[in-house]
């Protein structure tokens, strides 16, 4: 039986909701563990771990977003009758290709660990790089199983396995670092103990995914797999063309972090800063990463779930629905990313003290907070372009943005240190977001952002920021009386967040940014619908 636009939309939102919940839990864990970890090892210990973290981030993204997305797309097209390739052919071919890729990446990082560490300017990082290399061996099977279930619109295995991986990883990081530091081991040894969490977490996740396969018995199909040469080539092309695009755009944050890991510390040293201070500065700079990640949770979940749906709209020629969902996705990303960034900027000092005990680098972190705006939009735009078969241009845009990051790092860091690195990051994201917008606007051949929507978002954000500014002034008197304590900073932060959410949320609901039908697609949306005015779709 055919599924109507409303039912398809509900499936999209249901999938996005499942992955959003999992994504929120994962990002919360990713942010929360950094608080006690930074307190245990300090800024230098934090620097050590963050130097090798991007390599785990790459393996995790390949296993949870990049390759599962393209595998799910292939399976969804097969289930809709748009492909003659069997699901078994897809899984068999993808399994071989991903296994080879995993072995290549593992071997390259393991054998080249000393060379990479030398590029970073810190040879003591080599053992940690060798350890994190094992994450790439766990990637192929995890990506394959997740892609299979996502192609069936079943997001539960992906969501649950992500949460389990992060719970086990975080537990390993905190237990190992606390034990090693208290036993008098070096900060590099503590970093190695923390990095081992990538192995324990990835292994636990894989075991759980295999459990889904065994219990559900969905792969127990008899018969030999006979993949035709032409089909093998088509699947290979999809994985390493579309898959590369999905991976690159999903890895934007991690790849930018990787560039900073490779040259930020080295550039600080070359500019005349002593080793210890350079490591501390890099550790302070890295405080911004969990804050940025928290601001992109919904965009990640939305783009992950919309790939099969938008592909089906395109294949069925339902261009009206495609355009409608494109505008809705961008509206959601902007209406979350912009106020999230500004709210963080307004509260950056108490947030920094609450999470990391002091306000070092708050100015730098405020600059980095702007990344939330651009990355939220980039992730959504990239997912839409890839879903309609424009993968190559996505790859090119990401490469251009990363090249800009490299150039700007070289130009700004020697003079402005970590502030220069922050502006280099913003410049890179701005270029990528602009290029994605221009390409998507040309492809859609119609406006994809309404001025009325932008006005509502900007006015709501300005109202929220103004009230938070006044709220900060009120708290200034409390700080003068009681001091810059961590508990008071936590109260300031949490109450400020609640005030910001209520003010901004009420404004956009009353301003008609979303229709009652759109709100009805989400849980408790019908209750929220009584607060909104009917949206006039004709506004430009």
């Amino acid at each position: 039986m055919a599924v109507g636009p409303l039912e398809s939309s509900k499936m999209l939102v249901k999938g996005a909701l499942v992955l959003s919940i999992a994504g929120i839990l994962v990002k919360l864990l990713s942010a929360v563990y950094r608080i006690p970890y930074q307190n245990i090892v300090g800024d230098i210990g934090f620097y050590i771990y963050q130097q090798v973290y991007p390599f785990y981030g790459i393996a995790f993204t390949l296993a949870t977003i990049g390759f599962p997305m393209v595998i799910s797309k292939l399976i969804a097209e097969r289930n809709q009758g748009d492909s003659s390739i069997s699901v078994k052919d897809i899984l068999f071919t993808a399994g071989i290709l991903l296994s080879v890729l995993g072995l290549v990446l593992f071997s390259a990082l393991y054998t080249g660990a000393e060379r990479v560490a030398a590029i970073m300017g810190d040879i003591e990082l080599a053992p940690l790089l060798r350890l994190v290399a094992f994450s790439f061996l766990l990637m192929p099977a995890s990506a394959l199983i997740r892609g299979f279930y996502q192609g069936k619109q079943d997001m539960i295995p992906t969501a649950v396995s992500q949460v389990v991986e992060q719970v086990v990883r975080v537990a390993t990081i905190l237990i190992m670092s606390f034990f090693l530091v208290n036993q008098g081991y070096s900060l590099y040894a503590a970093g190695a103990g923390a990095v081992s969490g990538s192995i324990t977490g990835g292994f636990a996740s894989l075991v759980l995914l295999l459990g889904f396969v065994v219990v559900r018995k969905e792969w127990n199909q008899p018969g030999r797999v006979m993949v035709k040469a032409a089909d093998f080539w088509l699947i290979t092309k999809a994985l390493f063309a579309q898959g590369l695009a999905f991976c690159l755009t999903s890895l934007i944050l991690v790849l930018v972090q990787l560039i900073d890991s490779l040259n930020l510390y080295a550039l600080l040293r070359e500019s005349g800063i002593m080793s210890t201070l350079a490591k501390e500065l890099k550790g302070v700079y890295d405080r911004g990463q969990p804050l940025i990640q928290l601001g992109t949770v919904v965009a990640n979940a939305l783009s992950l779930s919309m790939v099969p749906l938008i592909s089906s709209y395109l294949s069925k020629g339902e261009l009206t629905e495609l355009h409608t969902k494109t505008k809705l996705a961008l509206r959601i990303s902007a209406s979350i990313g912009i106020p999230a960034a500004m709210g963080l900027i307004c509260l950056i000092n108490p947030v920094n003290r609450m999470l990391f005990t002091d306000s070092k680098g708050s100015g730098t972190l405020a600059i980095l907070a702007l990344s939330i705006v651009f990355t939220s939009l980039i992730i959504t735009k990239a997912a839409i372009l890839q879903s309609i078969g424009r993968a190559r241009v996505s790859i090119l845009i990401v490469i251009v943005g990363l090249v800009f990051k490299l150039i700007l790092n070289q130009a700004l860091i020697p003079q402005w240190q970590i502030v220069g690195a922050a502006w280099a990051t913003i410049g890179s994201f701005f270029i990528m977001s602009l290029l994605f917008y221009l390409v998507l606007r040309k492809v859609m051949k119609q406006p994809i952002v309404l001025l009325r929507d932008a006005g509502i978002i900007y006015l709501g954000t300005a109202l929220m920021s103004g009230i938070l500014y006044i709220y900060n002034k009120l708290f200034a008197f409390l700080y003068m009386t009681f001091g810059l304590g961590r508990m008071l900073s936590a109260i300031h932060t949490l109450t400020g967040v609640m005030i910001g959410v209520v003010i901004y949320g009420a404004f956009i609901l009353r301003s008609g940014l979303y229709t009652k039908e759109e709100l009805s697609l989400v849980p408790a949306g019908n209750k929220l619908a009584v607060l909104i005015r009917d949206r006039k779709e004709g506004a430009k």
Side-chain angles (χ1 to χ4, degrees):
M1 183 174 64
V3 179
L6 183 58
E7 288 75 12
S8 296
S9 299
K10 288 183 177 179
M11 290 174 63
L12 165 66
V13 175
K14 182 179 179 181
L17 177 63
V18 170
L19 289 171
S20 291
I21 294 172
I24 290 170
L25 291 174
V26 167
K27 298 304 180 185
L28 281 175
L29 286 169
S30 184
V32 168
Y33 87 83
R34 283 173 164 85
I35 302 169
Y37 182 72
Q38 189 265 354
N39 287 310
I40 292 169
V41 300
D43 286 325
I44 293 179
F46 199 45
Y47 145 83
I48 292 168
Y49 176 75
Q50 287 294 118
Q51 284 293 93
V52 300
Y53 169 80
F55 293 98
Y56 164 73
I58 290 172
F60 179 75
T61 304
L62 294 180
T64 57
I65 300 177
F67 288 122
M69 285 182 76
V70 69
I71 292 171
S72 71
K73 183 174 181 292
L74 289 169
I75 292 175
E77 291 172 350
R78 171 66 183 86
N79 291 337
Q80 293 162 7
D82 298 328
S83 172
S84 60
I85 306 173
S86 71
V87 173
K88 285 199 300 181
D89 291 344
I90 294 170
L91 296 175
F92 177 77
T93 305
I96 292 176
L97 295 171
L98 292 182
S99 295
V100 172
L101 178 63
L103 284 171
V104 169
L105 294 175
F106 163 77
S107 301
L109 184 55
Y110 190 88
T111 60
E114 288 188 357
R115 184 175 300 177
V116 174
I119 293 173
M120 291 179 173
D122 189 351
I123 196 64
E124 292 185 80
L125 293 170
L128 283 73
L129 291 168
R130 291 194 186 96
L131 188 59
V132 79
F134 285 93
S135 298
F136 291 104
L137 295 179
L138 300 172
M139 177 271 295
S142 296
L144 195 69
I145 299 172
R146 287 172 173 136
F148 169 72
Y149 284 114
Q150 287 172 208
K152 298 175 60 180
Q153 297 295 313
D154 183 357
M155 306 299 176
I156 297 299
T158 292
V160 174
S161 64
Q162 285 184 30
V163 173
V164 167
E165 176 167 351
Q166 293 307 306
V167 168
V168 174
R169 184 174 77 92
V170 168
T172 303
I173 288 171
L174 297 181
I175 292 172
M176 291 297 293
S177 60
F178 181 81
F179 172 78
L180 291 170
V181 168
N182 279 274
Q183 290 299 311
Y185 287 89
S186 71
L187 291 177
Y188 285 90
V195 170
S196 68
S198 64
I199 310 301
T200 59
F203 183 76
S205 175
L206 180 57
V207 169
L208 179 65
L209 288 168
L210 290 172
F212 274 103
V213 174
V214 172
V215 171
R216 295 185 177 184
K217 300 179 180 180
E218 292 173 297
W219 289 14
N220 294 341
Q221 300 179 12
R224 297 173 58 188
V225 177
M226 299 292 292
V227 184
K228 298 178 183 178
D231 292 342
F232 186 90
W233 168 246
L234 286 175
I235 298 170
T236 302
K237 184 179 179 181
L239 277 177
F240 292 106
Q242 298 176 31
L244 178 60
F246 284 133
C247 292
L248 279 179
T249 51
S250 300
L251 283 168
I252 288 172
L253 278 172
V254 176
L255 292 174
V256 169
Q257 291 179 51
L258 178 60
I259 291 173
D260 284 326
S261 291
L262 292 174
N263 66 16
L264 176 50
Y265 171 73
L267 287 171
L268 290 173
R269 293 285 288 120
E270 290 175 11
S271 67
I273 298 176
M274 298 299 293
S275 175
T276 299
L277 179 57
K279 290 177 181 179
E280 289 179 355
L281 286 173
K282 177 61 165 59
V284 170
Y285 177 84
D286 285 330
R287 296 180 184 186
Q289 302 308 325
L291 304 179
I292 297 171
Q293 291 170 357
L294 285 171
T296 59
V297 171
V298 174
N300 270 294
L302 180 65
S303 60
L304 183 64
S305 298
M306 75 178 357
V307 171
L309 183 59
I310 289 182
S311 296
S312 68
Y313 285 148
L314 182 65
S315 63
K316 296 175 183 177
E318 298 178 5
L319 299 183
T320 300
E321 282 297 317
L322 189 149
H323 292 153
T324 299
K325 293 302 178 289
T326 296
K327 293 175 183 177
L328 176 60
L330 291 174
R331 201 186 324 146
I332 291 173
S333 296
S335 66
I336 294 173
I338 292 173
M342 290 306 301
L344 179 57
I345 291 171
C346 291
L347 298 170
I348 194 62
N349 279 308
V351 166
N352 202 8
R353 287 192 297 268
M354 179 185 74
L355 297 180
F356 302 107
T357 73
D358 57 48
S359 57
K360 290 180 183 177
S362 290
T364 299
L365 300 184
I367 296 170
L368 285 172
L370 294 172
S371 301
I372 296 173
V373 178
F374 299 119
T375 53
S376 296
L377 293 171
I378 287 169
I379 291 168
T380 303
K381 294 171 190 173
I384 295 168
L385 281 177
Q386 292 155 17
S387 300
I388 59 179
R390 301 301 177 97
R392 292 180 182 178
V393 70
S394 297
I395 296 174
L396 180 60
I397 290 173
V398 173
I399 292 174
V400 169
L402 294 176
V403 170
F404 263 84
K405 170 63 175 172
L406 279 169
I407 295 172
L408 291 173
N409 266 12
Q410 295 287 337
L412 300 178
I413 291 174
Q415 182 176 359
W416 301 101
Q417 301 176 8
I418 59 174
V419 172
W423 280 118
T425 295
I426 298 304
S428 172
F429 287 147
F430 172 76
I431 290 295
M432 283 189 268
S433 183
L434 177 62
L435 292 175
F436 272 117
Y437 171 80
L438 293 175
V439 172
L440 188 58
R441 175 67 176 82
K442 182 178 180 180
V443 170
M444 291 296 172
K445 299 179 180 179
Q446 62 175 262
I448 55 176
V449 177
L450 300 181
L451 293 178
R452 175 182 179 277
D453 296 343
I456 291 173
I457 294 171
Y458 291 142
L459 285 174
T461 302
L463 176 62
M464 175 198 72
S465 300
I467 291 175
L468 288 179
Y469 176 81
I470 297 172
Y471 194 63
N472 288 341
K473 292 297 182 181
L474 295 176
F475 255 86
F477 292 104
L478 295 177
Y479 288 124
M480 290 175 62
T481 304
F482 299 103
L484 299 174
R486 198 171 186 184
M487 180 60 69
L488 187 58
S489 294
I491 295 172
H492 185 181
T493 298
L494 298 176
T495 55
V497 168
M498 288 189 289
I499 289 171
V501 169
V502 171
I503 295 298
Y504 176 79
F507 181 86
I508 63 170
L509 287 174
R510 294 299 299 167
S511 299
L513 185 62
Y514 297 102
T515 65
K516 292 182 178 180
E517 181 179 334
E518 289 166 347
L519 280 181
S520 70
L521 299 175
V522 301
N526 289 326
K527 295 180 180 179
L528 292 174
V530 300
L531 301 175
I532 72 172
R533 296 190 297 108
D534 287 330
R535 174 185 172 83
K536 297 180 180 180
E537 295 294 346
K540 297 294 183 184

